[in-house]
Amino acid sequence: MRKSKMLTAFVVLVFAFLIIPLIIITVTAFGEGSAITFPIESFSVKWFVNVFATKSFRNSFLTSLEIALLATVLALFAGIPAAYALARSGMKGKEMLKSIFLSPTIVPGIVIGFVLYQFLVLSLRIPVFFGLLAGHFMVTLPYVIRVVGSSLDQFDFSMEEAAWSLGCSKTGAFFRVVLPNITSGISAAFMLAFINSFNNIPVSMFLSGPGISTFPATLMNYIEYNYNPTVSAVSVILMAITVLIMVVVDKTLGIAALAK
């Protein structure tokens, strides 16, 4: 009994440690004063208005949505076939190849950003937008391969082979048998890839350029010269988008499960 109470107390403590900072930052975003204070003296939404009234935030928000969506879609187009090939292949060194694909999740983001800056910007001199897209594609691809690969590990490939034996082409069997059975993994991969792209800071800080920057990178630059509740408002918006994506994907998974 005592052990159970201690475990419950520990869980509550960890939950409080995680949730209290989020509550504080959310409350401070609705303060009317020009300084970040908790508790707030009066309620106001002017700092949220200020976010979208500020051109740099408005433009960077749209840039983040565009980059995250494009990078995630490209990662899905490249990652799903790669995960399928790894799952079906019996080649030697497959695990090493898989580790190489997943290496961007291990290497510090600041290192990836610096290397990509050296290669894409200084050496190849590609436009800023495409540099950001390439960097975010590199960041999102491992999540697609890992999550979709986990779904494929649970898939019974004898179903695909049965389709082959019934005259279905390999391409047709992939689209008609394999993909419909890993939709939950694809949806989860989309969620993780999009969220990690939209919230990415290290790669974005290195690859951003004049007039083109992502939402989180713009926030970091803003903090350097300003520290007011606008910072809290941007943080709340980032959290809200993350929660929204998670809810949408959860609903998608529920609909997919019912369809089956």
Side-chain angles (χ1 to χ4, degrees):
M1 187 70 177
R2 183 179 179 184
K3 186 176 180 180
S4 177
K5 288 183 177 180
M6 290 179 63
L7 183 61
T8 302
F10 177 76
V11 170
V12 170
L13 183 63
V14 171
F15 178 78
F17 180 78
L18 294 174
I19 203 69
I20 287 176
L22 301 182
I23 294 173
I24 291 175
I25 200 71
T26 301
V27 171
T28 59
F30 291 96
E32 189 173 8
S34 59
I36 298 177
T37 58
F38 183 85
I40 59 175
E41 295 181 0
S42 56
F43 179 87
S44 174
V45 295
K46 70 178 185 180
W47 301 109
F48 288 93
V49 174
N50 185 52
V51 171
F52 292 102
T54 304
K55 185 178 179 180
S56 59
F57 278 125
R58 188 169 63 249
N59 291 343
S60 63
F61 179 79
L62 295 175
T63 299
S64 278
L65 285 178
E66 190 175 3
I67 290 289
L69 184 59
L70 287 174
T72 301
V73 170
L74 290 174
L76 288 173
F77 273 107
I80 293 173
Y84 174 78
L86 287 171
R88 291 294 272 162
S89 175
M91 63 179 289
K92 292 182 179 180
K94 182 173 72 173
E95 292 303 317
M96 180 178 293
L97 184 61
K98 187 182 294 186
S99 298
I100 293 173
F101 275 123
L102 300 179
S103 60
T105 62
I106 302 172
V107 178
I110 194 169
V111 175
I112 295 175
F114 176 73
V115 170
L116 289 176
Y117 175 75
Q118 290 286 327
F119 177 64
L120 298 176
V121 179
L122 297 185
S123 299
L124 299 183
R125 298 185 182 279
I126 69 174
V128 174
F129 180 85
F130 293 104
L132 274 170
L133 182 59
H136 281 245
F137 169 74
M138 185 176 179
V139 169
T140 56
L141 182 61
Y143 291 98
V144 174
I145 294 177
R146 173 177 288 180
V147 177
V148 174
S150 297
S151 292
L152 287 168
D153 288 340
Q154 305 300 319
F155 177 69
D156 184 1
F157 284 103
S158 63
M159 295 169 59
E160 183 186 31
E161 293 164 3
W164 296 346
S165 67
L166 293 173
C168 188
S169 66
K170 290 190 175 182
T171 302
F174 176 75
F175 283 101
R176 295 177 184 178
V177 178
V178 179
L179 283 185
N181 283 281
I182 60 169
T183 52
S184 61
I186 294 173
S187 298
F190 178 90
M191 176 187 70
L192 287 173
F194 185 91
I195 289 173
N196 277 278
S197 174
F198 192 88
N199 292 331
N200 179 272
I201 292 179
V203 172
S204 300
M205 290 292 289
F206 275 98
L207 298 178
S208 295
I212 300 180
S213 181
T214 62
F215 201 48
T218 301
L219 173 62
M220 294 301 295
N221 290 327
Y222 183 87
I223 292 174
E224 187 174 353
Y225 302 102
N226 304 277
Y227 195 71
N228 56 46
T230 302
V231 175
S232 299
V234 173
S235 301
V236 172
I237 292 170
L238 287 170
M239 289 190 292
I241 291 173
T242 301
V243 172
L244 178 63
I245 293 297
M246 293 176 67
V247 169
V248 169
V249 171
D250 183 63
K251 294 294 183 182
T252 302
L253 295 179
I255 293 171
L258 289 174
K260 292 181 181 179

